[in-house]
Amino acid sequence: MLLKDKVVLVTGASGGIGKAAAIGAARHGADVAINYHSDEAGAADAVAQIEALGRRAIAVKGDVAQVETAQAFVDAAVAAFGKVDVFVNNAGICPFHAFLDMPPEVMERTMKVNLFGAYYMVQAAANQMVKQGHGGSIIAVSSISALVGGGMQTHYTPTKAGVHSLMQSTAIALGKHGIRCNSVLPGTIETAINKEDLADVAKREYMSGRIPLGRLGEPDDLAGPIVFLASDLANYVTGAALLVDGGAFVNLQ
Ligand SMILES: NC(=O)C1=CN([C@@H]2O[C@H](COP(=O)(O)OP(=O)(O)OC[C@H]3O[C@@H](n4cnc5c(N)ncnc54)[C@H](O)[C@@H]3O)[C@@H](O)[C@H]2O)C=CC1
Ligand SMILES: C[C@H](O)[C@@H]1OC(=O)[C@H](O)[C@@H]1O
């Protein structure tokens, strides 16, 4: 039990990596508040799975691109559980699109959800942790795409580099409060975000062929690294980025 009686908040946790992280935290003894955008059934299932583990859970609806969502989420978690120990910024979108004719609304929505949303959420969670006075752990779900490009992701990769950079800067800003800030950098993980993209058999085979461990990732592959960074095992880890990609990044030849 690495997170016994900790309170963990996760954004975008009605499915995919966020849901796996929320359930993984509960498996390690945490009570969990999840933010979700629109998938009521997915959010209810996450709550049910956490409660089945003997932990408490709430689901709070909200669009992270709207600044007021952040404080409302933190307030709801504090009202339910009394504190915030760990904050996981996970919500994100990746609408694949070519660069030369990128619609401004697609680019701006991606920036607002992935980067502005992260900023507001991390700020609200950090203010709560500072008020509590006993530190905390903030983890951003960045990406291998913070380090490499994607021709159909010119609006997306800067947001993932951005949240990684946000963790580096907040690690400095919040270190004196005992708040650690780190990123996980997933490789290609099979979730709703890339279902359509990976339906292209040639692309799927190319992507899995790049991975030394021989398979695409699953949401649960992120749960362990996120729980580790959240836990006291990572007490002296801040400003760090942990690649969780089956070795894809280092596989040049
Ligand atoms: N699947 C992958 O290969 C990789 C994913 N990531 C990142 O992991 C994070 C989670 O994505 P996945 O689990 O893969 O996909 P997903 O599509 O299953 O999960 C994304 C979650 O974010 C939520 N969300 C989207 N817009 C939102 C908004 N405006 N407000 C609140 N919630 C919102 C969605 O409802 C969904 O629950 C994203 O930040 C993504 O960029 C990073 C690297 C690789
Ligand atoms: C959604 C993509 O499949 C996924 O997102 C990322 O951040 C990874 O780099 C993959 O490109």
Side-chain angles (χ1 to χ4, degrees):
M1 288 276 180
L2 293 179
L3 300 176
K4 183 91 184 89
D5 297 329
K6 300 278 189 198
V7 174
V8 175
L9 277 62
V10 188
T11 64
S14 56
I17 293 169
K19 187 174 186 176
I23 294 166
R27 219 176 266 134
H28 278 274
D31 295 323
V32 186
I34 67 164
N35 149 272
Y36 71 101
H37 184 240
S38 48
D39 180 2
E40 308 276 351
D45 182 62
V47 168
Q49 289 202 51
I50 291 165
E51 289 176 345
L53 291 164
R55 301 308 311 186
R56 297 178 293 168
I58 59 165
V60 186
K61 189 170 184 160
D63 177 350
V64 299
Q66 293 180 352
V67 63
E68 61 275 14
T69 300
Q71 195 58 52
F73 182 39
V74 169
D75 288 348
V78 173
F81 306 133
K83 60 175 183 164
V84 174
D85 297 306
V86 175
F87 176 74
V88 182
N89 191 85
N90 167 75
I93 56 172
C94 182
F96 287 78
H97 203 288
F99 175 57
L100 292 176
D101 62 349
M102 175 70 68
E105 59 275 16
V106 174
M107 191 276 283
E108 285 173 21
R109 177 70 183 163
T110 305
M111 295 280 177
K112 280 185 183 156
V113 172
N114 295 8
L115 186 53
F116 291 21
Y119 194 100
Y120 303 140
M121 277 285 179
V122 168
Q123 188 184 43
N127 270 304
Q128 177 61 31
M129 290 173 181
V130 169
K131 193 156 65 170
Q132 292 167 187
H134 54 79
S137 173
I138 296 174
I139 299 141
V141 180
S142 171
S143 172
I144 188 175
S145 299
L147 309 177
V148 293
M152 298 289 279
Q153 295 174 305
T154 57
H155 51 329
Y156 172 79
T157 60
T159 70
K160 294 285 114 179
V163 294
H164 167 51
S165 170
L166 177 63
M167 289 301 96
Q168 292 179 317
S169 290
T170 55
I172 302 167
L174 299 172
K176 61 177 173 287
H177 299 288
I179 301 169
R180 300 181 294 104
C181 301
N182 296 289
S183 330
V184 289
L185 277 51
T188 302
I189 313 296
E190 288 199 82
T191 68
I193 208 170
N194 50 26
K195 197 170 186 323
E196 210 178 304
D197 188 50
L198 294 175
D200 175 341
V201 176
K203 170 108 187 243
R204 187 192 175 81
E205 280 174 8
Y206 168 73
M207 294 307 287
S208 41
R210 289 184 48 118
I211 301 171
L213 289 183
R215 65 169 176 87
L216 298 173
E218 299 164 6
D220 216 33
D221 290 323
L222 270 301
I226 289 171
V227 167
F228 162 69
L229 288 171
S231 78
D232 290 347
L233 285 182
N235 250 347
Y236 199 57
V237 181
T238 197
L242 179 52
L243 267 167
V244 188
D245 67 345
F249 179 73
V250 298
N251 190 16
L252 182 60
Q253 53 187 316

